[in-house]
C-alpha cells in the first residue's frame, strides 16, 4: 500500500491552520466575553469569579494542539515542498555513487517550484542537465520515487551497446579504475564489479559494471520533447529508461546534492556531508 506523506502533511497543515484561524476569528472572542461576564457576577465570591473566568478562557484541546502544531507543520511543508526533501536510498542501482542506506537531500527548486501533491510547476527556474543525479516519480507508478542519472535530454539520441554509451552518436569516454571495494552488505554483493570513470559532458562520475553480466537491454532511443532518459550508475543492476522508457518532465522531483547520513548496519560517518556528483 502506497503512503503519500506529502498529502498527509498538506491535510494536517490545512486542518490545524483552519482550526487555529477559526479560533482567532470567532471562538477566542466568545471565550473572552464569557470570562468577562463571570468577572462581573457579584453573587459569586472573588475566588469563584476568578476560577470561572480562567475556565472560560481555557482553549479547547483541539485548538491548543492546532495552535502548537500549525507553525511547525507549515514550516516543514514549505521546506519540504520548495527547498529540500530527504530521501533514503533503498537499492544498489546507483552504486558506486550512492549506497544502500544513504540518506540524501534533494534540491526541490532546481527544476522549478511545484505545488505539493499536485506537482504542478508554478515557477520555472531551471531544467535537468546531462549528468545530474535526479529524483523523479516512476512513470509506471507516480506514487513511487526513483533516483537515477540524467543521460539523455529532450531530442537526444541514446545508444547503449556492448556496455558502451553513445549520446548523439558520440561515444562517452570511460577510464578503468579497477575492481570495486565497498562497505556493507551491498558492497559484498558486488564483488567482481569493475569501476570506471565516465565523462558525461562536463560531469565526471564513477559507474560500475559486471564484466560477465548481460542485462539484455541494448538499443537506440530517441528522447521525445519534454522527457528525459535516465540510467543508474550500476549499469548492470539498474531498472531504468532502458527497460521502462522515458521520464516525463511533470514527474521531476529535484536534483540530489548531498548525503547527510548513512546507516547500513551502523553509521558510516565517512559519507556524511558527501556531495553527490
Amino acid at each position: 500500500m502506497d503512503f503519500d506523506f506529502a498529502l498527509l502533511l498538506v491535510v494536517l497543515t490545512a486542518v490545524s491552520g483552519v482550526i487555529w484561524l477559526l479560533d482567532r476569528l470567532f471562538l477566542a472572542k466568545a471565550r473572552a466575553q464569557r470570562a468577562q461576564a463571570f468577572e462581573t457576577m457579584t453573587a459569586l465570591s472573588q475566588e469563584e469569579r476568578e476560577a470561572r473566568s480562567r475556565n472560560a478562557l481555557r482553549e479547547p484541546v483541539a485548538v491548543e494542539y492546532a495552535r502548537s502544531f500549525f507553525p511547525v507543520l507549515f514550516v516543514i511543508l514549505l521546506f519540504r515542498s520548495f527547498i529540500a526533501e530527504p530521501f533514503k536510498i533503498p537499492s544498489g542501482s546507483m552504486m558506486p555513487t550512492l549506497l544502500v542506506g544513504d540518506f540524501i537531500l534533494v534540491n526541490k527548486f532546481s527544476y522549478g517550484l511545484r505545488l505539493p501533491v499536485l506537482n504542478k510547476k508554478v515557477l520555472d527556474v531551471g531544467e535537468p542537465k546531462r549528468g545530474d543525479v535526479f529524483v523523479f516519480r516512476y512513470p509506471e507508478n507516480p506514487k513511487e520515487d526513483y533516483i537515477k542519472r540524467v543521460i539523455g535530454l529532450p531530442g537526444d539520441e541514446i545508444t547503449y551497446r556492448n556496455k558502451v554509451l553513445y549520446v548523439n552518436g558520440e561515444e562517452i569516454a570511460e577510464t578503468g579504475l579497477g575492481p570495486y571495494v565497498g562497505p556493507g552488505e551491498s558492497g559484498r554483493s558486488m564483488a567482481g564489479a569493475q569501476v570506471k570513470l565516465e565523462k558525461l559532458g562536463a560531469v565526471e562520475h564513477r559507474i560500475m559494471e559486471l564484466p560477465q553480466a548481460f542485462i539484455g537491454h541494448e538499443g537506440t532511443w530517441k528522447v521525445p520533447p519534454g522527457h528525459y532518459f535516465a540510467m543508474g550508475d550500476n549499469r548492470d543492476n539498474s531498472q531504468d529508461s532502458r527497460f521502462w522508457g522515458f521520464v516525463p518532465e511533470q514527474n521531476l522531483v529535484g536534483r540530489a546534492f548531498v548525503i547527510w547520513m548513512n546507516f547500513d548496519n551502523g553509521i558510516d560517518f565517512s559519507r556524511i556531508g558527501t556531495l553527490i556528483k
Side-chain angles (χ1 to χ4, degrees):
M1 179 174 157
D2 294 313
F3 177 71
D4 195 333
F5 180 77
L7 177 60
L8 177 63
L9 184 58
V10 169
V11 170
L12 290 177
T13 304
V15 170
S16 60
V18 168
I19 292 174
W20 175 79
L21 181 61
L22 290 176
D23 181 71
R24 289 293 299 272
L25 294 177
F26 306 108
L27 302 180
K29 294 179 181 179
R31 290 196 301 272
Q33 291 173 354
R34 289 198 301 272
Q36 188 175 12
F38 283 126
E39 291 176 354
T40 59
M41 287 184 177
T42 56
L44 300 176
S45 66
Q46 179 68 24
E47 291 78 7
E48 288 177 318
R49 290 199 299 270
E50 291 177 354
R52 294 193 181 189
S53 179
R54 285 195 300 270
N55 287 334
L57 288 172
R58 185 173 295 139
E59 294 178 337
V61 173
V63 172
E64 184 177 353
Y65 277 110
R67 178 175 55 80
S68 300
F69 285 110
F70 172 72
V72 177
L73 291 171
F74 186 67
V75 169
I76 293 174
L77 178 63
L78 288 180
F79 184 86
R80 187 180 184 275
S81 300
F82 303 119
I83 300 176
E85 183 177 355
F87 288 88
K88 181 184 178 183
I89 303 302
S91 73
S93 71
M94 281 297 292
M95 292 173 65
T97 305
L98 296 172
L99 306 180
V100 174
D102 278 345
F103 290 81
I104 65 171
L105 285 179
V106 172
N107 185 328
K108 295 299 290 287
F109 57 84
S110 291
Y111 307 142
L113 296 182
R114 299 171 186 269
L115 295 176
V117 180
L118 299 177
N119 203 40
K120 179 178 177 57
K121 185 188 290 187
V122 294
L123 182 63
D124 191 358
V125 295
E127 297 176 346
K129 298 178 178 60
R130 189 176 290 109
D132 283 0
V133 176
F134 70 150
V135 172
F136 54 90
R137 291 176 172 83
Y138 180 37
E140 295 185 2
N141 179 11
K143 292 185 178 181
E144 187 175 353
D145 294 316
Y146 268 33
I147 183 167
K148 304 292 179 185
R149 190 176 296 275
V150 179
I151 302 297
L153 304 178
D156 282 347
E157 182 180 87
I158 307 298
T159 297
Y160 190 73
R161 185 173 61 249
N162 297 327
K163 299 185 185 295
V164 178
L165 176 65
Y166 302 83
V167 176
N168 297 323
E170 180 180 347
E171 181 178 340
I172 300 304
E174 295 179 351
T175 303
L177 300 178
Y180 176 72
V181 178
E185 187 65 31
S186 58
R188 290 189 289 272
S189 68
M190 295 304 298
Q194 295 294 310
V195 178
K196 297 181 178 179
L197 185 68
E198 182 177 83
K199 185 173 176 57
L200 193 61
V203 178
E204 287 189 338
H205 62 99
R206 295 183 302 158
I207 63 171
M208 180 184 294
E209 295 176 352
L210 291 168
Q212 305 305 319
F214 176 67
I215 64 170
H217 274 69
E218 298 181 334
T220 298
W221 300 265
K222 182 72 172 179
V223 185
H227 291 73
Y228 298 88
F229 191 91
M231 292 178 67
D233 289 349
N234 193 348
R235 292 291 163 79
D236 294 316
N237 189 28
S238 173
Q239 290 283 330
D240 49 40
S241 289
R242 293 171 291 176
F243 294 82
W244 41 256
F246 308 103
V247 179
E249 190 276 338
Q250 62 265 27
N251 285 42
L252 300 179
V253 173
R255 180 179 61 84
F257 69 97
V258 70
I259 300 169
W260 63 271
M261 175 64 74
N262 174 279
F263 189 88
D264 182 21
N265 296 322
I267 298 175
D268 184 349
F269 291 96
S270 67
R271 295 189 63 76
I272 297 176
T274 300
L275 297 180
I276 299 171
K277 56 183 181 179

